[in-house]
Amino acid sequence: MLLATQEKICLSDHGIREALYGNNQRDVNQVMKNIVYMELLRRGYEATVGKVKNAEVDFCAPKSGDTLYVQVTYPLAGEKTMEREFGVQETIPDNYPKYILSVDKINRSQNGITHKNIRDFLLEQQDDENTSQDWLTKKNIAFKLIQQAAGNVLR
């Protein structure tokens, strides 16, 4: 089997995490992964954690016969981080879309793996979404949670 699942716990309300742990800044990667997880579910994907060889894939997200593979990292700040995040995606032997999401604004896509700014990913409108103010409000709330967790360094 290519991908074996692992268990992770994601919260639907970051206020609970803030109340229990105080400051979310120390776990900005976890907060970002949690927000992406909730967004994948909202878009109709079934999001699970996967494993390829000895590496973890943050999200394997099947939907209607297609699958997305998503890695989430705060910044792609160095060769080790780049190798870790892109390396796990490169070991997946199928041709479904593979994404790296980070706060970086410079596109670092490589070897068929798409790098996206997490804000751009969250603000992408899906074909089945409307452009209501409610949709934009929800997206802005998610981005504000990331900003808050990161200590407003994304501005």
Side-chain angles (χ1 to χ4, degrees):
M1 175 180 241
L2 168 66
L3 299 172
T5 60
Q6 293 180 196
E7 290 187 28
K8 274 192 180 180
I9 298 172
C10 290
L11 300 172
S12 60
D13 184 347
H14 289 279
I16 294 170
R17 182 183 178 92
E18 184 75 20
L20 292 173
Y21 295 112
N23 188 344
N24 276 329
Q25 283 181 312
R26 68 175 179 241
D27 295 323
V28 68
N29 268 337
Q30 292 306 109
V31 171
M32 289 172 56
K33 286 177 185 180
N34 204 103
I35 290 170
V36 169
Y37 172 77
M38 295 305 296
E39 178 64 12
L40 289 170
L41 292 181
R42 191 195 67 73
R43 292 181 183 184
Y45 290 94
E46 177 187 332
T48 61
V49 177
K51 202 161 179 77
V52 179
K53 298 180 183 173
N54 292 328
E56 178 184 283
V57 178
D58 287 335
F59 301 108
C60 302
K63 173 183 171 184
S64 303
D66 288 327
T67 301
L68 296 180
Y69 299 105
V70 182
Q71 289 292 106
V72 182
T73 187
Y74 181 47
L76 284 169
E79 282 304 310
K80 276 189 167 181
T81 306
M82 293 278 291
E83 287 173 21
R84 181 185 68 235
E85 301 300 336
F86 281 92
V88 69
Q89 297 274 19
E90 289 172 354
T91 62
I92 300 171
D94 65 33
N95 292 319
Y96 289 116
K98 298 168 180 78
Y99 294 96
I100 309 289
L101 304 179
S102 75
V103 296
D104 300 291
K105 293 184 179 183
I106 297 170
N107 184 343
R108 296 182 180 204
S109 298
Q110 61 186 32
N111 301 330
I113 300 166
T114 304
H115 171 250
K116 283 190 176 188
N117 176 276
I118 192 166
R119 183 177 189 188
D120 295 341
F121 173 79
L122 292 172
L123 291 174
E124 280 179 344
Q125 184 176 341
Q126 302 302 298
D127 292 338
D128 57 346
E129 292 179 327
N130 60 36
T131 56
S132 71
Q133 187 63 35
D134 185 48
W135 175 80
L136 291 173
T137 300
K138 288 176 185 173
K139 297 292 184 166
N140 285 326
I141 289 169
F143 184 67
K144 284 179 184 178
L145 284 169
I146 293 171
Q147 279 184 315
Q148 199 174 43
N152 295 319
V153 294
L154 300 179
R155 286 186 187 185

